[in-house]
Amino acid sequence: MAGSISNLGHNTAAKKNHSAGIRGIAKQSATSEARWIRWSLISIAMLFLALFLILPLVIVFTEAFAKGMGVYVAAITHPDAAAAIKLTLLAAAIAVPLNVVFGLAASWAIAKFQFKGKQIVITLIDLPFAVSPVVAGLIYMLLFGAQGLFGHWLMDHNVRIMFAVPGIVLATVFITFPFITRELIPLMQEQGKEQEEAAITLGANGWQMFFRVTLPSIKWALLYGIILCNARAMGEFGAVSVVSGKIRGQTNTMPLHIEILYNEYQFAAAFAVASLLALLALVTLVLKSALEWKAAREHEIAVLTAQAQ
């Protein structure tokens, strides 16, 4: 009897070791490749980045300064360029705060509450990702243009939306509003609502709960969404080109001004203004990386603190 139990124990141990060996081999084969395969994949990725990201950026800045610093400064300080830069900053300055308010409200409602039509709301939030920006601009033209649904009423009351700043802001808001919401919803869903419920139980009102409990826990995702939203707002072309009318010095944003300069064969000036947008992209990338590092660092400190306790 004792011998049978001993044999059974040896067989069980052998099976466990065999299973562990199989799992180890499977894990090793699934996570390790031959050196030449790794280097080939890395080379392909680096070549792709060099051709489609680094090289275009180098060309933009090279062409921008090809005729000297004087031509570059003259191009970006030209009255039409200055007006385009000012309008781009104005549109972003209006659109981003509006999207922050909408993003926080929509994310809060979707992540914290259950209601009928919730999936429809989520689908509508993703609509700007699915619809062409040009189509979005045409939608606003059909609503607020001279021959649009509200066009006659607007003309009778001397209200201009299309071919003016309000139309540009509306198009920019439509194109950019998913960015903040899409950054916040997954995080807020993962966090749940236990902390907010605890704050309410302890006597906090709605604003205290938001500013002292909710906002600190989502601040990095919110800042990340704001950065992406701002970069997209400043670089928007399709929808704005439809609703702006491309009036020099009045309704031209930076991307539209670049297109006009390029079509007029003013390549140095076009690349000079384009370099400002490229610089914005680089600054956005640096801020994005800094926020990701800061958020990861805080998470690591929080985990170590929890383990120490």
Side-chain angles (χ1 to χ4, degrees):
M1 184 69 178
S4 299
I5 294 174
S6 177
N7 291 334
L8 180 60
H10 286 302
N11 291 336
T12 303
K15 289 180 179 180
K16 289 182 178 180
N17 292 333
H18 180 66
S19 300
I22 293 176
R23 288 195 298 268
I25 294 173
K27 183 177 180 181
Q28 182 179 5
S29 61
T31 58
S32 63
E33 299 288 350
R35 180 173 296 180
W36 69 271
I37 294 179
R38 295 198 301 270
W39 281 107
S40 297
L41 294 175
I42 293 173
S43 299
I44 292 173
M46 294 304 296
L47 180 62
F48 183 89
L49 290 175
L51 289 176
F52 294 98
L53 180 62
I54 299 176
L55 183 60
L57 285 175
V58 172
I59 291 176
V60 166
F61 285 100
T62 301
E63 292 294 329
F65 292 97
K67 294 186 178 181
M69 181 61 70
V71 174
Y72 180 87
V73 173
I76 63 176
T77 57
H78 189 276
D80 289 343
I85 294 171
K86 181 180 178 180
L87 180 57
T88 302
L89 295 176
L90 176 63
I94 297 174
V96 173
L98 290 176
N99 284 327
V100 169
V101 175
F102 170 80
L104 287 171
S107 303
W108 182 280
I110 292 171
K112 306 296 183 180
F113 301 99
Q114 295 295 331
F115 55 90
K116 292 182 179 180
K118 181 176 179 179
Q119 193 58 45
I120 296 177
V121 174
I122 295 175
T123 302
L124 291 176
I125 289 174
D126 291 335
L127 187 62
F129 290 147
V131 175
S132 168
V134 174
V135 174
L138 289 174
I139 292 173
Y140 283 112
M141 286 293 296
L142 293 174
L143 289 175
F144 306 114
Q147 305 301 321
L149 184 61
F150 305 108
H152 295 293
W153 185 90
L154 293 172
M155 291 178 64
D156 292 340
H157 292 79
N158 197 27
V159 178
R160 291 190 61 188
I161 295 181
M162 294 296 99
F163 311 137
V165 174
I168 296 172
V169 172
L170 284 175
T172 304
V173 169
F174 177 84
I175 294 300
T176 58
F177 77 77
F179 286 94
I180 295 176
T181 308
R182 270 304 173 189
E183 291 297 325
L184 293 178
I185 289 176
L187 177 61
M188 296 178 74
Q189 286 178 332
E190 181 182 357
Q191 291 176 345
K193 52 185 179 180
E194 289 80 9
Q195 293 182 354
E196 286 84 356
E197 291 175 347
I200 294 295
T201 303
L202 293 174
N205 59 38
W207 291 112
Q208 289 175 332
M209 176 191 65
F210 175 76
F211 285 107
R212 297 185 181 182
V213 178
T214 304
L215 189 59
S217 64
I218 64 171
K219 60 182 179 181
W220 297 120
L222 178 60
L223 288 174
Y224 184 70
I226 290 173
I227 290 173
L228 294 180
C229 179
N230 182 69
R232 185 69 176 86
M234 290 190 177
E236 173 54 31
F237 177 84
V240 173
S241 68
V242 176
V243 302
S244 69
K246 298 182 180 179
I247 305 173
R248 282 180 182 248
Q250 298 183 31
T251 62
N252 266 352
T253 58
M254 290 174 67
L256 300 181
H257 185 63
I258 292 169
E259 182 199 26
I260 290 176
L261 291 175
Y262 192 86
N263 289 337
E264 293 178 350
Y265 303 102
Q266 300 183 46
F267 299 125
F271 280 107
V273 181
S275 69
L276 297 180
L277 285 178
L279 185 61
L280 170 66
L282 295 176
V283 172
T284 301
L285 182 62
V286 172
L287 291 175
K288 169 182 171 294
S289 300
L291 287 177
E292 289 177 342
W293 177 85
K294 184 67 175 179
R297 181 62 179 168
E298 284 198 358
H299 178 72
E300 181 182 352
I301 293 174
V303 170
L304 292 176
T305 304
Q307 290 177 350
Q309 294 177 350

